[in-house]
Every structure is written in C-alpha cells, then in structure tokens.
C-alpha cells in the first residue's frame, strides 16, 4: 500500500512559533514577555518580581516542554540583573506576580542592595569602556610608530680637509606601551557544612562574580538561598563561600 503526497502532507506537523524551543536567553525572555505581559516587560516599564517567581513559573510551565529549568534560571538572572530592573527596585514599590497582581513591598534593605548592585554594574561597564579605549589608542600609537619613515641623516659634504664626516646618530627604538593588567581577584573561602544554617549571609558564585545571598533551606548537598534582588535559587554546597 502506497501513501500519496497529499496524505503525507496532512499527517506531517510543521514547526510553528509556539513549538520551536527558545535557543538562548534573549529568546527565553521574549517568550516570557509574550506569555506574561503583566509581569515581564521588554521596555522601561519593568516591575520588581515576586519573591519565589521561579517556583511559580516552573509550576505554570510544568506541562510545557519548551523551557528547561536551567534556561529559566539563566533568563531570570539576566532579567533581574539589568539596569532597568535594579533601578525599578525602590523602597515602597510593589513586587508583582505572573498575573501582574501586587505582591510583597520592597523594604529599605532590598532597595539599598539593588542600588548598590546598579552602581557597581555601571562602574564596571565604565572601567571596561575606558580600558577598551586605552587599548585602541595604544594599538594606534604602535601602528603609527611601525609605519613612520626613518629619516637618514646625510653626511656633511662641506668639511675641512683632514676632518672626518659626522656619523648619523642612531634613532631610539619606539617605546613599548604596556597594557593594563587585570586586577587579581581575592580568593574565596569555602564553607563547612556546620556553617550552612538558615538565615546566614553567604556569597554564591553565579558566573564570574560572587553575589551576597541569605540561606533559606539546607538539604545537603543542595542549599536554597535568596539573592538581594528577591530571587530564590537552589544551588550546590560547593558554590557557597564565606561573606
């Protein structure tokens, strides 16, 4: 029995925008903005997220295989670390849930922590921009020095009999420009299991920069902590360090 082309086309499911999995953090955030427009925003109308928003999202998307929990954590980390989000985390402002309903009110400590993270992030961006400009200038100077023509000093033809012509003085080599050396990061101190108690302040390493957090639950080797932005994550014991 043969199957016609028309029958094959009817039984074939073509991929759509709803079935294609997001490939990166940018696409994950675009998906969340589309699915929960009252909670997530892609413009200046960013609102602080409810504490425990990850668990709410994981429950809502439990039957949706498009997003993994790892993708979700990465996207929330990028979203809550953005300048717009940190700037919106002010004292007295309401956090929102997935439906845009008011949740917890941001207190002074949370607002102060967000302002500190914002200032540090902007300072690092300015330092990187300054270092990049200095490096570009140094390369331009090296290039000019390499292509500049070397002038040869001609001997003086009008000299007295018996005297020797002056020799051309050798030119000094162009100075070597030393590039900035990146500062050495201070070593982190690991924590013993006895130091992992609920309420303790620790440092959790997310990427390259350790961030302060408060221990919420200990179930070794897993430890649940809350970041200063309000986000709650589960991490491993070996990712925690002394604050």
């Amino acid at each position: 029995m043969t199957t016609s082309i028309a029958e094959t086309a009817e039984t074939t499911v073509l991929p759509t925008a709803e079935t294609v999995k997001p490939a990166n953090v940018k696409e994950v955030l675009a998906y969340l903005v589309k699915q929960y427009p009252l909670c997530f925003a892609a413009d200046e109308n960013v609102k602080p997220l409810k504490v425990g928003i990850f668990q709410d999202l994981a429950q809502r998307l439990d039957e949706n295989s498009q997003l993994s929990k790892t993708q979700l954590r990465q996207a929330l980390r990028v979203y809550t670390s953005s300048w717009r989000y940190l700037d919106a985390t002010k004292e007295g402002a309401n956090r929102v849930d997935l439906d845009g309903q008011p949740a917890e009110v941001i207190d002074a400590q949370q607002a102060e922590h967000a302002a500190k993270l914002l200032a540090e992030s902007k300072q690092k961006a300015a330092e990187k921009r300054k270092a990049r400009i200095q490096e570009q200038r140094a390369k331009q100077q090296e290039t000019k020095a390499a292509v500049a023509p070397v002038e040869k000093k001609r001997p003086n033809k009008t000299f007295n009999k018996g005297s020797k012509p002056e020799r051309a003085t050798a030119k000094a080599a162009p100075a070597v420009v030393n590039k900035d050396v990146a500062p050495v990061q201070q070593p982190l101190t690991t924590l013993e299991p006895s130091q992992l108690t609920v309420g303790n302040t620790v440092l959790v390493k997310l990427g390259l920069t350790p961030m302060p957090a408060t221990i919420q639950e200990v179930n070794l080797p897993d430890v649940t902590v809350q970041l200063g932005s309000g986000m709650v994550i589960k991490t491993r014991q070996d990712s925690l360090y002394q604050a």
Side-chain angles (χ1 to χ4, degrees):
M1 181 177 178
T2 59
T3 304
S4 66
I5 297 178
E7 291 174 341
T8 303
E10 290 179 357
T11 58
T12 301
V13 178
L14 298 176
T16 63
E18 287 74 18
T19 59
V20 176
K21 293 183 178 181
N24 50 50
V25 171
K26 185 177 180 180
E27 292 182 4
V28 173
L29 290 175
Y31 176 82
L32 293 177
V33 170
K34 181 179 179 181
Q35 294 295 320
Y36 307 102
L38 298 178
C39 179
F40 295 92
D43 52 17
E44 64 275 3
N45 297 320
V46 176
K47 299 177 182 178
L49 302 179
K50 168 194 171 186
V51 175
I53 198 75
F54 171 78
Q55 287 79 0
D56 294 346
L57 275 170
Q59 185 176 3
R60 290 275 187 99
L61 301 174
D62 186 36
E63 299 178 357
N64 187 344
S65 60
Q66 286 185 286
L67 296 179
S68 67
K69 290 185 177 180
T70 300
Q71 285 179 306
L72 205 55
R73 287 192 182 95
Q74 292 175 344
L76 287 176
R77 190 179 305 152
V78 171
Y79 187 82
T80 56
S81 299
S82 68
W83 289 1
R84 289 178 178 175
Y85 184 91
L86 294 175
D87 186 58
T89 308
K90 298 184 182 297
E91 183 178 1
N94 276 99
R95 298 181 182 272
V96 295
D97 62 10
L98 293 177
D99 300 318
Q101 296 300 316
E104 304 90 354
V105 177
I106 295 175
D107 57 26
Q109 183 178 2
Q110 293 172 342
E112 182 180 355
H113 179 70
K116 181 180 179 182
L117 291 179
L118 178 60
E120 291 176 351
S121 179
K122 288 186 176 182
Q123 182 180 359
K124 289 180 181 178
E127 291 175 353
K128 288 182 179 179
R129 184 167 56 252
K130 182 179 179 181
R132 185 167 58 252
I133 293 175
Q134 291 178 344
E135 184 176 357
Q136 291 174 351
R137 290 178 178 175
K139 288 182 178 179
Q140 291 175 355
Q141 292 177 356
E142 291 176 356
T143 302
K144 289 181 180 179
V147 301
V150 179
E151 296 183 359
K152 295 182 179 180
K153 186 175 181 180
R154 297 180 179 179
N156 188 4
K157 294 183 179 180
T158 58
F159 55 91
N160 298 327
K161 187 176 180 180
S163 63
K164 297 182 179 180
E166 296 181 358
R167 295 182 179 180
T169 305
K171 282 203 169 188
V176 178
V177 180
N178 294 327
K179 297 182 179 179
D180 295 336
V181 179
V184 179
Q185 186 177 3
Q186 295 297 329
L188 299 174
T189 303
T190 57
L191 296 173
E192 299 295 332
S194 60
Q195 296 176 288
L196 300 174
T197 57
V198 176
N200 278 5
T201 300
V202 296
L203 292 177
V204 57
K205 195 169 185 181
L206 302 175
L208 299 177
T209 306
M211 302 178 65
T214 303
I215 297 178
Q216 301 292 315
E217 182 181 356
V218 179
N219 188 15
L220 298 179
D222 296 328
V223 181
T224 302
V225 298
Q226 180 179 347
L227 303 179
S229 61
M231 180 178 174
V232 178
I233 63 172
K234 180 181 289 186
T235 184
R236 305 283 294 181
Q237 174 189 350
D238 53 11
S239 296
L240 299 178
Y241 303 89
Q242 185 174 349

